[in-house]
Amino acid sequence: MPERREVLRLEGVRKSYNVGRPNEVEVLHGIDLRLDSADFAALVGPSGSGKSTLLNQIGLLDSPTAGELFLLGEPTRRMDDEARTAARGRHIGFVFQFHHLIGAFTALENVMMPVMVARGRPDRDTLDTARSLLSDVGLERFADRKPDELSGGQQQRVAIARALMTRPALLLADEPTGNLDTKTAADVFELLRRFNAQYGCAVLVVTHDPRLAETCDRTISLVDGRVADDVRAFAAADGPDPAAQPR
Ligand SMILES: Nc1ncnc2c1ncn2[C@@H]1O[C@H](COP(=O)(O)OP(=O)(O)OP(=O)(O)O)[C@@H](O)[C@H]1O
Ligand SMILES: [Mg+2]
């Protein structure tokens, strides 16, 4: 089991849209949250509760209106665009509901994309890593296929392999299985779970599916832009809760 360390910490994170305009609206009202490297957490909540907004702040795709967000101990709110992009590329992997694979490229090329964007032509190491990730997601035989020659579940597995290409400390997924049938969705979840254990990569996944949320070690519920509940499954705890021990 990889050692447990803090990956992400949010302190009083607020987010407003349309700041300074008549239609200004605050949708996150002071979020405190910590994720560790071993965490495999579901983010749940009603439609409009702010899940995607929160994920966008955590993924450094957007910046909070107030509060601070620490990634691997580094404060991020005052980072300029360049530093933000670099931190995102280095430490965070994304999987979305629609995979955003590039149609003109093969599965293998899509997986290598995050590294090619940063460093240009792939070297031997990059190729080896990408092939091994494709094999981890069970698609080694499909390396040369284009996305439109793959099923929806296979495309999503390519997207997961791509998200892991840079060995991120944090993997964020916004309804990664929203588009898939029950069995394929469970398989995709299983893959995320395996990478979480194998690489100690913290996983935060938005899902509307209570059965999938149940398979997570932790369920964070967002209601009206506030954390209403943060529940850990007992099996995920480091040991028995000392407060719960008989005297
Ligand atoms: N760019 C924007 N400008 C103004 N309001 C926005 C913007 N994006 C989101 N909102 C509002 O912020 C609130 C939270 O939206 P968000 O997309 O984070 O919800 P969600 O929990 O992801 O919902 P869903 O489950 O439907 O995906 C909603 O009321 C939404 O209308
Ligand atoms: Mg959403």
Side-chain angles (χ1 to χ4, degrees), residues 46-53 55 97 174-175 206 208:
S47 178
S49 58
K51 302 179 298 296
S52 294
T53 301
L55 224 63
Q97 178 170 5
D174 199 347
E175 301 201 46
V206 173
H208 275 119

Side-chain angles (χ1 to χ4, degrees), residues 59-186:
L60 307 184
L61 294 166
D62 195 0
S63 52
T65 318
E68 187 53 278
L69 199 151
F70 299 87
L71 183 62
L72 299 169
E74 289 282 318
T76 60
R77 197 157 78 90
R78 286 176 197 286
M79 282 179 175
D80 60 22
D81 281 352
E82 200 182 333
R84 180 179 292 278
T85 304
R88 184 169 60 230
R90 203 168 301 139
H91 303 305
I92 304 177
F94 294 93
V95 182
F96 297 101
Q97 178 170 5
F98 301 99
H99 51 73
H100 302 301
L101 297 177
I102 299 171
F105 291 155
T106 66
L108 185 69
E109 288 164 343
N110 268 287
V111 173
M112 292 191 294
M113 197 51 58
V115 171
M116 288 165 71
V117 165
R119 287 197 239 133
R121 256 180 75 85
D123 56 16
R124 188 77 245 165
D125 262 11
T126 304
L127 262 168
D128 288 348
T129 307
R131 285 198 184 281
S132 126
L133 279 167
L134 266 183
S135 132
D136 284 346
V137 299
L139 292 177
E140 62 273 50
R141 289 184 301 116
F142 298 83
D144 297 325
R145 296 257 189 115
K146 302 273 173 64
D148 66 2
E149 300 163 339
L150 297 169
S151 74
Q154 290 168 340
Q155 292 173 11
Q156 199 54 308
R157 275 142 69 193
V158 174
I160 291 173
R162 177 185 58 184
L164 292 163
M165 187 64 204
T166 56
R167 289 284 142 82
L170 176 61
L171 185 69
L172 301 176
D174 199 347
E175 301 201 46
T177 60
N179 218 10
L180 306 174
D181 65 70
T182 312
K183 165 78 172 75
T184 312

Side-chain angles (χ1 to χ4, degrees), residues 32-33 42-44 218-223 226-232:
D32 298 317
L33 194 64
L43 180 61
V44 303
R218 183 176 169 191
T219 303
I220 301 161
S221 308
L222 213 56
V223 176
R226 290 190 171 83
V227 175
D229 224 344
D230 187 350
V231 183
R232 283 171 199 277

